[in-house]
Amino acid sequence: MGPATLMPLLAAISATFTVAVGAHEPVLQVQEPAQVSYNAVKVPVILGVMSRCPDAHLCETVFDQVLQKVSGKVDLSLSFIGTINASEPDFGVTCMHGAEECAGNVQELCAMKYTSQNEWWEFVQCQNFHGRDNVGLPETALKCANTAKIDWEGSGVGNCTGVDGSGKAEEGVKLLQESVKTSQAIGIKKSCTIIINGKQVCIHDGTWKDCENGHTVSDFVKQIEEEYQKLNGDDMEA
Ligand SMILES: *[C@@H]1O[C@H](CO)[C@@H](O)[C@H](O)[C@H]1NC(C)=O
Ligand SMILES: *[C@@H]1O[C@H](CO)[C@@H](O)[C@H](O)[C@H]1NC(C)=O
């Protein structure tokens, strides 16, 4: 082996050594447990839904139980399904279950934007509890904001939705259009579609479909726990 071949080899060894030393640094930094949990990455979970859809309500009921087990490890969001349609006067979107569904979607999106996960989730559960035909009505939204202890005007939800609860305010309508476009972009076609850490894991469309790793509460909890470990590494096990 001449010097010409030896040089790259030495460079490679030296590079490997640097990487190995570098790899120890984060380990030294995360030894304090408080800092570990503070830095923990939550698992993104997206439910592709429509606010008046029975399949969506079913998924949201299942996920209410999932959250009771792993809420601290989940960054939950709803992504709405609809069709962008410039002929729609109020929303610029056609919603499968009518304009009231578009309004319900806006109310839920505004709650998601301006309140904590616990608050907006309670708001959604409350809307569902009032029955599909009442989701999206201004009086349901105002009642449910009260139930979820959301300060309608002070939080920003009121302005986003329309202070009267109509769902037709500019900011909320824009959120709806963005959400519909995002759903299309990430391939959500059916309500309800469940996406855990970027992977579509299950659909409920009349019945459960394409749920390779199961569709019970404990199946979803298990999948979230696994993704949480992947995102945070073995250091997080304690
Ligand atoms: C677009 O909206 C108009 C007005 O509501 C409606 O008549 C039409 O069917 C909609 N088109 C689609 C593709 O949903
Ligand atoms: C409501 O929202 C609009 C548009 O997002 C904003 O221009 C306006 O200042 C807001 N009003 C209040 C009272 O927050």
Side-chain angles (χ1 to χ4, degrees), residues 114 153 156 159-160 170-171:
Y114 287 105
E153 292 186 39
N159 189 45
C160 173
E170 192 184 333
E171 186 186 2

Side-chain angles (χ1 to χ4, degrees), residues 9 87 118 157 171 202 210:
L9 183 62
S87 311
N118 285 343
V157 176
E171 186 186 2
C202 196
D210 302 331

